[in-house]
Amino acid sequence: MLNSAVSLGRISLPVFFISEYGDDEVGKIIDHFLNENGVGTSCVHHFKEGNTKLALAFLNEKNDASYTFYDKYPDKRLEIEFPAVCEDDIILCGSIYAITDEIRKKFRDFINMAKNNGAIVIYDPNFRSSHLSELDRLKPMIIENMQMASVIRGSDEDFSNIFGAGTPDEAWDVVRKYCNCLVYTANAEGVFVRTTSFSGRFSVKRIKPVSTIGAGDNFNAGMIASICKNPITRDQLDKMGEDEWSEVISMGVEFATNVCLSYENYISLEFAKELKTK
């Protein structure tokens, strides 16, 4: 979510990061970096006990990443006053943080409040094979998150890991029980959209990536940028046709492509400047 927020901040959209990290030197670096890139941190819990969580990413010969995590959280988690959410505000949530026991009630209450207030909730499960041993325990929370979402954006890997779904239609057969909009990304195979009124596939650009870290995060950011630009309301999402979805998906692809061409996890300042002048 941080990668997505930075890209949105770089194109001057009003964006806030809702999370937690330590009141330590690493936390101060993160605060400075986010603020420098236009991301508000007033909704961050800066805890004084424990340390900021660190993730180290290692690229293989195909430039795909594996991760090692270091964390030491305090007993009291996410001790913040959550922001008020209005109709058609956009909330992006997901990854393992969205199904973490220690913050589950606070997270669920906030997302449910956002849904009830008419916000667009985009949920990216981002569920990796390293958590497969915990799937039986985590799956009910993933499904509950899907039920609160307006759009579910996941990769082919996500739906294979969680539901054993090997195609967009197999994923949609599951997702449609919980949510009316699915955006399914499948690397070079393209992007597939399934809703209660539309079914389509959109191509992606053929590139030689430098790094795939942050590609999905920035696809999410690109979709959000397009939803804001057009603008699209929550009630329109499951009624949109090919033209409207093409704009949303194209912007997601543009963001993800730009990130894959560098070692940064967010769109470049040059790309952001081009977007702001259009």
Side-chain angles (χ1 to χ4, degrees):
M1 305 310 118
L2 184 146
N3 293 338
S4 306
V6 170
S7 289
L8 293 170
R10 286 187 171 184
I11 61 171
S12 300
L13 287 180
V15 57
F16 293 85
F17 189 50
I18 304 173
S19 192
E20 56 185 348
Y21 43 81
D23 185 20
D24 52 19
E25 290 305 314
V26 175
K28 290 171 184 174
I29 291 171
I30 295 171
D31 257 356
H32 176 74
F33 176 73
L34 289 175
N35 295 157
E36 195 174 47
N37 283 281
V39 180
T41 54
S42 58
C43 297
V44 170
H45 173 208
H46 299 87
F47 52 79
K48 298 190 180 298
E49 296 180 8
N51 303 115
T52 297
K53 181 174 181 177
L54 296 177
L56 301 184
F58 301 91
L59 296 175
N60 64 17
E61 65 279 0
K62 296 180 180 179
N63 290 322
D64 292 324
S66 61
Y67 299 87
T68 301
F69 297 97
Y70 299 88
D71 57 71
K72 184 182 177 183
Y73 284 111
D75 292 333
K76 291 187 177 180
R77 302 282 302 275
L78 209 54
E79 290 287 297
I80 62 167
E81 183 176 337
F82 284 90
V85 179
C86 301
E87 185 175 1
D88 295 321
D89 282 352
I90 301 172
I91 307 293
L92 175 65
C93 59
S95 298
I96 198 69
Y97 195 66
I99 49 175
T100 298
D101 289 329
E102 290 83 359
I103 65 160
R104 180 63 190 171
K105 184 180 186 306
K106 293 178 180 179
F107 171 85
R108 184 181 58 223
D109 290 349
F110 173 64
I111 299 301
N112 197 49
M113 177 270 291
K115 174 190 175 183
N116 291 337
N117 286 0
I120 296 172
V121 177
I122 300 175
Y123 175 53
D124 176 2
N126 197 32
F127 190 84
R128 296 297 176 250
S129 56
S130 57
H131 296 290
L132 280 174
S133 62
E134 303 175 87
L135 182 59
D136 288 345
R137 180 178 65 84
L138 298 174
K139 193 172 180 178
M141 290 187 278
I142 295 172
I143 290 173
E144 189 175 36
N145 290 347
M146 289 182 169
Q147 291 171 323
M148 295 186 287
S150 316
V151 179
I152 295 168
R153 202 295 297 177
S155 69
D156 49 355
E157 182 183 358
D158 292 331
F159 295 107
S160 176
N161 286 338
I162 300 167
F163 300 111
T167 69
D169 288 327
E170 288 177 5
W172 176 234
D173 284 342
V174 176
V175 169
R176 69 192 308 169
K177 301 172 188 175
Y178 312 117
C179 179
N180 290 337
C181 293
L182 167 66
V183 178
Y184 177 106
T185 53
N187 297 313
E189 297 301 313
V191 180
F192 300 81
V193 175
R194 300 288 186 268
T195 74
T196 50
S197 61
F198 175 73
S199 175
R201 174 190 176 275
F202 301 90
S203 60
V204 298
K205 295 183 177 182
R206 300 285 176 173
I207 61 169
K208 186 175 181 179
V210 173
S211 168
T212 58
I213 300 173
D217 307 331
N218 282 275
F219 183 90
N220 294 340
M223 287 202 310
I224 291 171
S226 182
I227 290 169
C228 290
K229 175 185 174 184
N230 282 294
I232 296 167
T233 66
R234 186 176 77 173
D235 291 341
Q236 291 175 297
L237 286 168
D238 61 355
K239 301 177 181 66
M240 298 195 313
E242 184 171 5
D243 290 345
E244 294 92 343
W245 275 113
S246 179
E247 283 201 44
V248 173
I249 301 305
S250 294
M251 187 68 81
V253 170
E254 289 287 342
F255 272 56
T257 300
N258 181 265
V259 166
C260 285
L261 295 175
S262 78
Y263 285 112
E264 283 214 316
N265 300 352
Y266 4 80
I267 60 171
S268 68
L269 293 171
E270 294 77 17
F271 180 70
K273 185 177 180 181
E274 289 177 16
L275 288 177
K276 287 193 288 187
T277 57
K278 289 182 179 179

